[in-house]
Amino acid sequence: MSYTLSHLKYLEAESIQIIREVMAEFERPVMLYSIGKDSSVMIRLAQKAFYPGKIPFPLLHVDTTFKFKEMVSFRDQFCRDIGAKLLVHTNTKAIENNISPFSVGTQKCCAFLKTQALVDSLRQGQFDAAFGGARRDEEKSRAKERIFSFRDEKGQWDPKNQRPELWNLYNAKVNKGESIRVFPLSNWTELDVWQYIYRENIPIVPMYFAKMREMVVRDNMLIPLDGDIPLRPGEKPKEVMCRFRTLGCYPCTGAIRSTATTLPEIIQEMMTIRISERSTRIIDHDQEGSMETKKREGYF
Amino acid sequence: MNAPIPSFLEEDAGKTLLRFSTAGSVDDGKSTLIGRLLLDSKNIYEDHIASVRKASTHSDDQESLDLFLFTDGLKAEREQGITIDVAYRYFSTPHRKFIIADTPGHEQYTRNMATGASTANLSIVLIDARKGVLPQSKRHAFIASLLRVPHLIVAVNKMDLVGYDEAVFNRIRKEFSDFAARLSVPDLRFIPISALQGGNVVEQSDKMAWYKGESLLTMLENVHVAGDSNFIDFRFPVQWVNRPTMDFRGYSGTIASGVVRKGDEVMVLPSMRTSRVKSIVTWDGEVNEAFVPMAVTILLEDEIDISRGDMLIHKHNQPQVSRSFEAMVVWMDEAALDPEKFYYLKQAGRTTKAQVEKVHYRVDVNTLHRLPGMPLQMNEIGRLRFSVHQPLFFDAYAKNRSTGNFVLIDALTNRTVAAGMMIDREPQDKMATDVASLAKLLRSRLRPEKGVTAAERAARLGQKGVTVWITGRPGSCKSEVAYALERKLFEAGALPFVLSGGDIRAGLSIDLDYSNLDRLEHLRRVAELAGLLNRSGVLTIGAFISPTQEMRNLVREIIGPDRYVEIALDAPLDWCKQNDKSGIYAKAEKGEVRNVPGVDFPFEVSTTAASVIKIAETGVEQAVATILSLLRQKGIFPCQKH
């Protein structure tokens, strides 16, 4: 027997260690569930960490009400299948006040329906640790984020004041009201995630696979017709062979032209693709360093 | 789907992983090198290239993209033009996956370098070919060696700016190798590169045909790391007890080192109870064997009370179990170490209260010299002794990178303030005081005088063989008094001899510097020599600053209290500064020298001297007269001559 782990097995072992450490050190952990592929992988790792037991903490979905219908139905089915406890939180006050990307723009909408909703739900649930599926390769400001990332009582991140993190010794000490965001997938890349989904046969939302979809082509982006996207003059939806590389809210998530209908095809596409993952997310492009600004305020 | 793709996937999923850290300042071209590795191995997306092009000072020119912009992440840093924290980068080639811990090289970021090195299999130290080996290059290598990174690559960058000159490369290699001989680096390699032009980074450079080795990327792809883990000593810190149902009780954790098999006899620490491994459970099924760094759940045949922080081991291969230990520590917090305070110490799944008992020394990371104790400040490294409330199960970090490390957490602020690497119980380097007490023991076993006796020698020479030990600050006229005394004694018919610091340092103590420990060792040697001279009958005069009582006590012990006459020259610091002929105070003020007694090193005025002379008031001549009359009084010189 050769005592070598493949890179995926190594990453898996590292993530399991992180997830167990949280369970051992914190009183009320919760796992953020975004319904996306990274969340699916994170949940599989949590299942592995506690096997043969079930995941011993709840999953939390922050629902902006602008999620794709396919995502919501997948979410409910998936959580039933794995026997997980699902919490859904929506900033109902903001919805009542008609906050939407169309009314206040994408940045403000995100601040109310995602960031504030998240911070509120963590506080209401008195969660002292919250897992997120973010990866360091996603975006520049994430490259410096710790695996155990400290947040003050307002949920804010201070990039200048991060705790040193050495070996696999994570500092889990917090005062009441403060919390830790934990990123077990920190060292995974997008390609690792796809390979793992393929090898482990992990269920994902069908929107990741290519098919003919009704789309609006706007500024080089493919915008889906889910919900009531207002059309600009002259715009006409057309059938495009495409798939979603990341899943967010429908007004802010573009698709990519693709013919990848299976996991191996997606992986092959990943290996040759020349555009980064988050380029289909409208919010990241809003302003230079916008992810960092949002993270400072409490975004995941 | 056609068949070839899944097999291709199979191959890709079986890649190994290499984690490496890079250290170097912006000027060394570190960020440019990483940008080059990412760009040339086609791991940067087009939209990222576009945004870097937007920010580059030269737009529209593919060749002169500011490569470092790919890695300088946060907005604040981009404005300052520096990288201020550890950033992690990812790329892969058909052979391997890589995780880069990209750490800045400024002096104040020792802690970031240590962080990056803690998880690295390999470190790359970047050296600017034009500047050669700088203190910070040495610092990087020292930290990599302190954190026991097994492989070190020295990349001599900017070869294009020195005309790809082999001689420049060889000179740097020689200088760095000489330095690295003092470190523990099992695998040291050198490579000449040009990150900006791409030479020897991914492709071999035709401009450096004299270099016969691999390109940097090929080196990274081929370096063998599987053997670096410890597969010998089985250590399994229990991370979490898994009890989903009444009839399942498993111990979950990550194997810190070694291998465990189903059926193995294991011992539980701290209870020392033994049992056998019933099964090793994972989601993917039971396994017969598990090894570092797998995350598994172990079931035992017997019901034993085991909780988080306990450790499973093989009975005949046990770690150290102790409430006190020594460690090399990197201090990482703005608040200095406070020996009065207790800290939380987290190690191998245990968290316990800890207190620093002693700071043995600090290390000057630029010179590797040892500096005297004092609380550790941010980015300082030192050797400390700890005591902890609960026993820890550990191995020396040098033997086991997983069970020999810990972090310290401030109990009040909850910040991670330090990282430590544990050391074997027995101090490897004997200190001067230990050597002195060993010498005392050995001497006590010697038979008394065999040859001519001390009394016979004194009778022949008309003097007793003693040492007049003159102590005082720099600039307190010790040498003047010593030589004037020697002259007067000689003229009066005695046989005196002055031992001068300069003479001893030029030979006997040539390997020592001015740290606390080395000063002690230097004085130990001087005292041994003075003692031998005394036994030969010579009236020895020593003029040494010997700034602390500890040092003077050591000297008296070695020479023997009956042969030791201590003279303290006491003068105000300002007077000594004015009187200073060596210029040492001026140098200390400019920061050119450190550890100057009375300035940045303690000077304790003697409390045990046979005579304290206020030299500023008496002058040299009067001081000599005082010493002469003391020697007469004590019957040292003159004494009865036969």
Side-chain angles (χ1 to χ4, degrees):
Chain A
M1 173 163 186
S2 134
Y3 295 127
T4 310
L5 292 185
S6 72
H7 79 276
L8 283 179
K9 282 286 171 192
Y10 173 93
L11 291 172
E12 177 189 86
E14 182 187 63
S15 302
I16 290 175
Q17 191 255 344
I18 293 163
I19 293 169
R20 285 174 175 165
E21 191 68 8
V22 170
M23 195 54 212
E25 290 260 15
F26 290 90
E27 281 172 27
R28 290 179 67 83
V30 66
M31 186 169 269
L32 269 289
Y33 178 49
S34 75
I35 320 177
K37 64 186 191 309
D38 303 296
S39 279
S40 292
V41 166
M42 181 163 64
I43 286 170
R44 170 60 57 86
L45 292 165
Q47 289 179 289
K48 289 194 173 198
F50 304 112
Y51 176 85
K54 294 216 182 306
I55 297 175
F57 40 71
L59 308 182
L60 171 64
H61 179 227
V62 174
D63 192 348
T64 58
T65 71
F66 289 96
K67 296 292 170 192
F68 293 95
K69 295 182 193 85
E70 266 180 283
M71 288 172 73
V72 176
S73 57
F74 177 88
R75 175 191 77 189
D76 296 339
Q77 185 63 45
F78 181 70
C79 291
R80 264 199 304 278
D81 289 348
I82 64 168
K85 183 183 175 193
L86 175 71
L87 308 173
V88 178
H89 183 93
T90 300
N91 185 349
T92 43
K93 212 170 189 178
I95 300 289
E96 280 161 19
N97 287 329
N98 276 328
I99 299 282
S100 80
F102 317 113
S103 64
V104 295
T106 57
Q107 267 190 62
K108 274 203 175 144
C109 178
C110 241
F112 282 104
L113 296 184
K114 287 175 100 172
T115 308
Q116 199 192 326
L118 172 67
V119 172
D120 287 350
S121 60
L122 292 180
R123 196 180 49 233
Q124 283 163 24
Q126 294 185 311
F127 298 113
D128 51 359
F131 291 99
R135 308 185 318 265
R136 285 175 178 149
D137 82 322
E138 274 179 66
E139 204 271 341
K140 273 180 181 176
S141 72
R142 292 215 192 271
K144 304 192 178 195
E145 176 126 15
R146 304 296 189 258
I147 289 172
F148 273 44
S149 183
F150 175 78
R151 302 300 160 105
D152 65 17
E153 60 283 350
K154 295 198 172 64
Q156 297 179 106
W157 180 62
D158 179 1
K160 296 239 177 205
N161 200 14
Q162 301 195 76
R163 296 172 173 179
E165 204 161 73
L166 292 95
W167 301 290
N168 58 2
L169 296 173
Y170 304 107
N171 179 348
K173 297 269 181 204
V174 289
N175 293 328
K176 203 168 166 52
E178 298 168 345
S179 62
I180 300 280
R181 304 275 173 94
V182 183
F183 302 103
L185 302 185
S186 286
N187 284 326
W188 296 60
T189 62
E190 187 184 12
L191 185 56
D192 296 330
V193 165
W194 280 115
Q195 282 173 333
Y196 195 72
I197 288 170
Y198 171 67
R199 291 186 71 80
E200 297 283 327
N201 203 13
I202 295 172
I204 49 168
V205 182
M207 293 167 69
Y208 284 113
F209 296 104
K211 71 171 193 184
M212 293 299 282
R213 291 184 170 91
E214 282 251 287
M215 304 298 270
V216 177
V217 184
R218 183 185 290 170
D219 305 335
N220 266 334
M221 298 191 81
L222 297 176
I223 300 176
L225 280 174
D226 226 273
D228 316 308
I229 303 251
L231 291 182
R232 290 177 188 169
E235 274 183 345
K236 246 201 264 161
K238 59 176 180 181
E239 290 268 313
V240 184
M241 186 66 174
C242 62
R243 68 179 197 87
F244 292 86
R245 199 170 160 197
T246 69
L247 295 180
C249 298
Y250 58 75
C252 298
T253 306
I256 54 168
R257 288 173 200 272
S258 167
T259 55
T261 56
T262 64
L263 285 169
E265 283 172 337
I266 290 176
I267 294 169
Q268 197 181 28
E269 186 184 276
M270 284 322 339
M271 287 173 156
T272 50
I273 201 157
R274 304 298 305 139
I275 302 288
S276 82
E277 186 179 11
R278 296 197 77 92
S279 62
T280 58
R281 289 292 189 89
I282 292 160
I283 47 172
D284 293 352
H285 295 292
D286 280 352
Q287 66 182 87
E288 173 84 337
S290 65
M291 176 67 91
E292 187 188 335
T293 313
K294 285 195 333 174
K295 275 161 59 67
R296 281 170 184 270
E297 289 161 3
Y299 187 73
F300 241 88
Chain B
M1 204 65 254
N2 44 0
I5 288 168
S7 75
F8 161 59
L9 276 174
E10 200 61 36
E11 193 176 289
D12 195 73
K15 283 179 187 177
T16 55
L17 178 73
L18 179 82
R19 300 189 68 150
F20 67 95
S21 68
T22 54
S25 69
V26 177
D27 306 335
D28 295 330
K30 173 178 60 80
S31 296
T32 305
L33 172 66
I34 294 172
R36 174 61 67 188
L37 276 173
L38 265 49
L39 190 69
D40 285 9
S41 58
K42 309 206 165 30
N43 277 273
I44 297 182
Y45 293 123
E46 277 166 6
D47 54 321
H48 287 167
I49 296 178
S51 75
V52 162
R53 183 168 296 140
K54 206 160 65 176
S56 289
T57 42
H58 352 259
S59 53
D60 297 338
D61 180 359
Q62 164 80 44
E63 288 309 305
S64 55
L65 280 178
D66 289 338
L67 290 171
F68 67 89
L69 289 177
F70 287 117
T71 59
D72 279 7
L74 301 181
K75 237 166 125 183
E77 297 171 13
R78 202 178 292 175
E79 281 155 16
Q80 291 166 27
I82 52 160
T83 315
I84 54 166
D85 206 332
V86 188
Y88 295 87
R89 321 278 170 204
Y90 303 83
F91 74 104
S92 65
T93 68
H95 303 286
R96 240 182 197 166
K97 290 258 173 185
F98 299 95
I99 301 179
I100 313 176
D102 177 14
T103 71
H106 306 269
E107 180 151 23
Q108 60 269 43
Y109 297 122
T110 291
R111 70 168 195 179
N112 293 334
M113 269 189 263
T115 302
S118 74
T119 50
N121 309 102
L122 180 148
S123 279
I124 299 177
V125 171
L126 266 157
I127 293 181
D128 184 333
R130 295 169 305 171
K131 295 179 188 157
V133 181
L134 297 177
Q136 72 174 30
S137 331
K138 294 180 177 176
R139 188 164 63 234
H140 302 158
F142 170 63
I143 291 167
S145 125
L146 187 71
L147 273 291
R148 298 277 163 175
V149 180
H151 309 274
L152 188 67
I153 296 178
V154 178
V156 180
N157 191 21
K158 306 198 183 181
M159 288 302 291
D160 51 318
L161 300 182
V162 295
Y164 299 103
D165 185 356
E166 186 180 7
V168 172
F169 174 70
N170 285 339
R171 196 163 60 233
I172 291 171
R173 174 159 68 182
K174 167 84 174 59
E175 192 186 340
F176 196 93
S177 302
D178 290 347
F179 171 78
R182 295 155 71 189
L183 306 173
S184 23
V185 181
D187 175 23
L188 176 63
R189 304 165 191 222
F190 295 86
I191 180 168
I193 62 167
S194 165
L196 199 64
Q197 307 297 328
N200 284 341
V201 177
V202 173
E203 305 291 335
Q204 298 272 18
S205 162
D206 50 5
K207 299 199 176 71
M208 288 179 273
W210 47 265
Y211 172 73
K212 304 291 180 215
E214 300 167 314
S215 76
L216 181 61
L217 186 64
T218 311
M219 221 180 249
L220 294 173
E221 285 182 320
N222 293 341
V223 64
H224 182 72
V225 293
D228 295 336
S229 298
N230 179 335
F231 292 106
I232 311 287
D233 311 309
F234 171 59
R235 307 283 186 256
F236 185 77
V238 175
Q239 191 181 11
W240 190 69
V241 179
N242 193 357
R243 296 203 70 177
T245 57
M246 289 307 285
D247 48 2
F248 186 96
R249 186 183 180 93
Y251 305 104
S252 297
T254 297
I255 298 176
S257 61
V259 181
V260 66
R261 294 175 186 85
K262 191 172 168 176
D264 276 3
E265 186 178 23
V266 290
M267 180 187 261
V268 184
L269 295 177
S271 70
M272 310 278 274
R273 297 189 58 182
T274 56
S275 182
R276 282 187 187 281
V277 175
K278 187 162 111 190
S279 57
I280 305 170
V281 173
T282 76
W283 157 285
D284 301 293
E286 286 191 17
V287 292
N288 288 321
E289 184 176 48
F291 54 91
V292 52
M294 288 169 65
V296 296
T297 298
I298 293 178
L299 274 65
L300 299 181
E301 284 180 355
D302 305 278
E303 280 226 359
I304 303 179
D305 184 28
I306 299 176
S307 46
R308 169 172 167 87
D310 291 0
M311 187 183 273
L312 302 187
I313 55 161
H314 285 141
K315 191 178 173 183
H316 300 294
N317 180 339
Q318 301 189 10
Q320 301 189 46
V321 179
S322 180
R323 275 202 177 83
S324 77
F325 61 91
E326 303 214 340
M328 294 302 293
V329 166
V330 182
W331 200 259
M332 305 183 144
D333 199 57
E334 280 160 17
L337 162 68
D338 183 352
E340 304 288 310
K341 223 155 95 167
F342 79 81
Y343 295 91
Y344 286 114
L345 185 150
K346 187 167 183 180
Q347 180 262 351
R350 306 205 117 189
T351 302
T352 177
K353 285 182 179 179
Q355 199 155 13
V356 175
E357 275 186 1
K358 188 171 181 193
V359 181
H360 284 301
Y361 56 80
R362 293 175 294 142
V363 180
D364 180 330
V365 285
N366 295 323
T367 61
L368 301 190
H369 289 168
R370 291 170 180 184
L371 310 172
M374 316 294 186
L376 291 187
Q377 308 277 346
M378 170 110 138
N379 289 311
E380 287 193 329
I381 294 166
R383 178 166 173 163
L384 312 185
R385 166 174 286 280
F386 286 88
S387 63
V388 288
H389 287 210
Q390 285 182 340
L392 297 177
F393 321 126
F394 65 95
D395 299 280
Y397 185 70
K399 290 185 199 146
N400 197 326
R401 269 181 105 186
S402 304
T403 56
N405 57 32
F406 62 87
V407 292
L408 285 187
I409 298 165
D410 188 293
L412 193 66
T413 65
N414 288 336
R415 296 163 64 94
T416 305
V417 294
M421 285 122 312
M422 297 156 116
I423 301 176
D424 269 327
R425 248 351 258 274
E426 285 301 306
Q428 283 155 353
D429 40 353
K430 283 281 176 205
M431 298 183 193
T433 45
D434 298 344
V435 174
S437 52
L438 179 67
K440 192 178 169 188
L441 179 74
L442 292 177
R443 256 198 298 272
S444 71
R445 291 181 189 161
L446 288 177
R447 272 190 232 165
E449 290 169 291
K450 276 174 282 195
V452 179
T453 65
E456 287 174 286
R457 289 179 203 274
R460 164 73 53 87
L461 296 169
Q463 65 182 32
K464 285 187 180 159
V466 301
T467 296
V468 177
W469 188 266
I470 304 175
T471 165
R473 298 175 191 279
S476 61
C477 296
K478 293 182 299 299
S479 286
E480 290 91 330
V481 171
Y483 285 107
L485 177 65
E486 185 190 45
R487 175 57 59 192
K488 285 275 184 205
L489 284 166
F490 188 75
E491 284 169 358
L495 181 61
F497 181 69
V498 173
L499 280 180
S500 88
D503 282 348
I504 310 284
R505 287 217 175 253
L508 203 53
S509 294
I510 198 165
D511 55 328
L512 302 177
D513 59 36
Y514 294 87
S515 68
N516 190 35
L517 274 187
D518 277 8
R519 273 179 202 274
L520 268 173
E521 173 61 14
H522 171 60
L523 290 175
R524 186 189 71 79
R525 294 179 192 180
V526 171
E528 287 286 354
L529 180 58
L532 287 170
L533 284 170
N534 290 161
R535 280 164 59 194
S536 78
V538 173
L539 209 172
T540 309
I541 303 163
F544 293 88
I545 302 170
S546 44
T548 66
Q549 199 60 45
E550 180 193 13
M551 290 176 182
R552 294 186 293 265
N553 290 344
L554 178 79
V555 171
R556 189 181 55 223
E557 273 301 302
I558 293 168
I559 294 175
D562 50 337
R563 289 187 188 273
Y564 178 82
V565 180
E566 186 178 301
I567 307 292
L569 299 185
D570 187 18
L573 183 60
D574 287 342
W575 186 85
C576 293
K577 281 184 181 172
Q578 279 173 17
N579 195 42
D580 174 34
K581 295 184 183 69
S582 65
I584 191 145
Y585 289 113
K587 280 187 196 162
E589 267 164 35
K590 282 188 221 149
E592 289 168 16
V593 292
R594 295 181 68 177
N595 296 328
V596 176
V599 180
D600 59 349
F601 190 97
F603 183 86
E604 302 161 12
V605 176
S606 174
T607 52
T608 52
S611 175
V612 178
I613 298 172
K614 302 273 180 201
I615 185 74
E617 295 157 24
T618 64
V620 171
E621 212 169 304
Q622 182 58 45
V624 170
T626 307
I627 298 170
L628 282 172
S629 80
L630 184 71
L631 295 180
R632 198 175 300 116
Q633 259 174 42
K634 287 184 176 280
I636 291 166
F637 177 83
C639 73
Q640 193 60 50
K641 196 171 179 180
H642 292 288

